[in-house]
Amino acid sequence: MKEIAAKPQPLTLPWGLLLALLAGLAIILLPEQAGLPIAGQRMLAILAFAVIVWISEAVSYEVSAIMILALMAFLLGNAPSLADPDKLIGTKDALSIALGGFANSALALVAAALFIAAAMTQTGLDKRIALLTLSKVGASTHRVLFGAIVVTILLSFIVPSATARVACVVPIMMGVIAAFGVDKRSAFAGGIMILVAQATSIWNVGIQTSAAQNLLTAGFMQKLLGQSVTWTDWLIAGAPWSVLMSAVLYWVILRVMPPETERIEGGKEAVRKALSELGPMTGNERKLLAIVLTLLGFWATEGKLHAFDTASTTLVGLAALLMPGLGVMSWKQAQPRIPWGTVIVFGVGISLGGAVLATGAGTWLAKLLVANLGMEGLSPFWVFAVLGAFLIVIHLGFASATALTSAMLPIMIALLLQLGGDINPLGMSMLLGYVVSFGFLLPINAPQNMVCIGTETFDARQFLRTGIWLTLIGYGLMLVFALTWWRWLGWM
């Protein structure tokens, strides 16, 4: 009997990828625009492709990064050179532009930060710090909520990855919930998990090394403005907002999701039991703690006691972490714990932003926005208010603050340079970088939110109810800071 040949499956593309390709093609086929080089027009096509793919999540971020590299190599490579329009840029030079972000110091800092986060998980130091902190709070539900905020703050200083911090805290807090014997769909359980996610986003604002989008912002500052801000400058400007918002978060959780009872027995004892099961602090934990505290010291004193930049000192710390005898893990142990895709996406993000400006696309788009939005003549405060609100709204379409930063911050910087006047482009870029961390509204808007909702202790509607409060109060508080604290510091 003859075998019936299987019918070939029709080629299907995800709708988001198809839409991205069509949008990019449409921009390429548009008539030449006055003041916009062909290379710039093609970069806008690539940017539109990237934004649609990222918003639709038609493909993974890692795959989209490779696609963007390929598009830059061939679309820019076959565009006239800006220096000599009679010659093409060429795929070799275009690929160099596409890979330019991998030479940025911020990429080295991100990679080193991921290794430090892996070392925390490898040694269990992050878990010990979290349990120690929780063991010091009382057994009341209010104190447990307060303790969860404190844990998040402490880990934000020493674990330079929002996702890694949440991945550490969530199992511990789930253990506390189980020890209390409450239902995991209770308001108490849901409140704790929402609090962990939202507190992580809040402290992504206050500490430069706490999130990848902050390091990407610093990278864009260095590449596009020729200067950046120190770790301490970022902390002094952002941490007061994060402190006040932590108090707001505590109040919002108690208001929106009040615990069913004031005091539940057994939780504190469960934390102490989990801590005792860890045993005494190991040699590797002590080494890692010493290295991290030393790094904190160098980060905090950059430009004051020494001239070593954050990326360089962090790389020295990474070398110490991996050094035989002195270190706390081997390369073989570290390798499977490192999300290498994040490094690739980060490098391509910097390349994309740099190319948008280098080809004249960013400046052209900034002029267009200034002319059509009536922003010329606005004071620095109103410029920040308008751009900040825009970033909060557009964040609703992004599942990654890093992707949002890659797509929007270079255009924002070009717009700030175009406006000129009394605007401080460096300071305003940092403040807009703060707004990028506003992932308060939807669980999809940040990886840490998705980790927490995966515990099934709350639903998207409950998250939104807390997020609306945090977004409105957080934005309002930023406007108050723009009129006072940040203006006094000279960033506005």
Side-chain angles (χ1 to χ4, degrees), residues 1 43 78 97 120 187 231 242 265 274 340 350 378 433-434 486:
M1 183 182 287
M43 273 311 304
N78 289 287
I97 295 171
M120 284 284 176
W231 187 88
S242 294
E265 299 298 335
W340 296 106
I350 295 178
L378 289 182
Y434 291 169
W486 295 335

Side-chain angles (χ1 to χ4, degrees), residues 3-84:
E3 288 187 16
I4 299 173
K7 282 188 177 182
Q9 293 295 318
L11 178 64
T12 57
L13 290 177
W15 69 266
L17 180 57
L18 183 61
L19 181 61
L21 290 169
L22 291 174
L25 182 62
I27 293 172
I28 290 172
L29 295 176
L30 284 174
E32 289 187 31
Q33 306 294 309
L36 178 63
I38 292 176
Q41 187 167 338
R42 293 187 179 181
M43 273 311 304
L44 288 181
I46 295 170
L47 180 64
F49 170 87
V51 169
I52 293 171
V53 165
W54 288 337
I55 288 177
S56 66
E57 295 187 279
V59 296
S60 69
Y61 286 104
E62 295 81 2
V63 172
S64 70
I66 303 300
M67 288 180 171
I68 291 166
L69 284 178
L71 288 172
M72 288 177 70
F74 282 92
L75 290 181
L76 285 185
N78 289 287
S81 167
L82 271 67
D84 185 359

Side-chain angles (χ1 to χ4, degrees), residues 54 61 216 345 398 400-408:
W54 288 337
Y61 286 104
L216 186 57
V345 172
F398 282 83
S400 163
T402 305
L404 176 61
T405 306
S406 299
M408 292 297 149

Side-chain angles (χ1 to χ4, degrees), residues 66-241:
I66 303 300
M67 288 180 171
I68 291 166
L69 284 178
L71 288 172
M72 288 177 70
F74 282 92
L75 290 181
L76 285 185
N78 289 287
S81 167
L82 271 67
D84 185 359
D86 293 328
K87 294 182 180 178
L88 296 179
I89 293 173
T91 54
K92 185 177 179 181
D93 288 342
L95 185 58
S96 295
I97 295 171
L99 295 173
F102 290 88
N104 193 285
S105 61
L107 182 72
L109 180 54
V110 165
L114 292 174
F115 274 92
I116 293 171
M120 284 284 176
T121 307
Q122 170 74 20
T123 61
L125 179 60
D126 52 356
K127 187 175 183 180
R128 185 180 298 277
I129 291 171
L131 287 170
L132 268 172
T133 305
L134 288 173
S135 70
K136 303 299 180 185
V137 301
S140 73
T141 51
H142 288 198
R143 290 197 174 203
V144 171
L145 290 171
F146 175 76
I149 292 178
V150 174
V151 166
T152 304
I153 295 172
L154 290 176
L155 292 181
S156 295
F157 280 95
I158 63 173
V159 182
S161 165
T163 309
R165 290 198 301 277
V166 172
C168 160
V169 175
V170 163
I172 294 171
M173 298 313 300
M174 287 300 289
V176 171
I177 291 166
F180 281 0
V182 298
D183 187 272
K184 77 172 189 175
R185 292 302 305 216
S186 65
F188 173 61
I192 285 180
M193 286 304 155
I194 291 176
L195 180 140
V196 168
Q198 305 286 34
T200 301
S201 293
I202 286 171
W203 279 92
N204 282 350
V205 172
I207 301 169
Q208 187 185 58
T209 48
S210 65
Q213 64 264 23
N214 298 349
L215 305 181
L216 186 57
T217 298
F220 279 136
M221 289 177 181
Q222 192 63 54
K223 188 173 182 67
L224 306 180
L225 299 175
Q227 55 183 327
S228 191
V229 296
T230 66
W231 187 88
T232 304
D233 287 337
W234 187 292
L235 183 75
I236 290 172
W241 180 90

Side-chain angles (χ1 to χ4, degrees), residues 182-326:
V182 298
D183 187 272
K184 77 172 189 175
R185 292 302 305 216
S186 65
F188 173 61
I192 285 180
M193 286 304 155
I194 291 176
L195 180 140
V196 168
Q198 305 286 34
T200 301
S201 293
I202 286 171
W203 279 92
N204 282 350
V205 172
I207 301 169
Q208 187 185 58
T209 48
S210 65
Q213 64 264 23
N214 298 349
L215 305 181
L216 186 57
T217 298
F220 279 136
M221 289 177 181
Q222 192 63 54
K223 188 173 182 67
L224 306 180
L225 299 175
Q227 55 183 327
S228 191
V229 296
T230 66
W231 187 88
T232 304
D233 287 337
W234 187 292
L235 183 75
I236 290 172
W241 180 90
S242 294
V243 169
L244 289 176
M245 280 302 295
S246 295
V248 170
L249 172 62
Y250 181 75
W251 174 80
V252 166
I253 293 294
L254 289 179
R255 179 185 176 91
V256 176
M257 299 188 70
E260 291 84 351
T261 182
E262 175 68 24
R263 183 179 182 86
I264 308 174
E265 299 298 335
K268 194 168 184 181
E269 289 72 17
V271 170
R272 285 177 178 165
K273 181 183 176 185
L275 190 57
S276 67
E277 287 173 356
L278 286 179
M281 200 171 188
T282 64
N284 281 347
E285 286 180 83
R286 294 179 191 279
K287 289 178 191 175
L288 178 57
L289 184 60
I291 290 169
V292 169
L293 291 178
T294 302
L295 283 177
L296 273 175
F298 274 101
W299 294 342
T301 54
E302 178 190 346
K304 298 172 178 62
L305 298 182
H306 62 84
F308 308 128
D309 64 283
T310 302
S312 298
T313 53
T314 307
L315 282 174
V316 173
L318 171 57
L321 287 176
L322 295 170
M323 191 180 297
L326 176 64

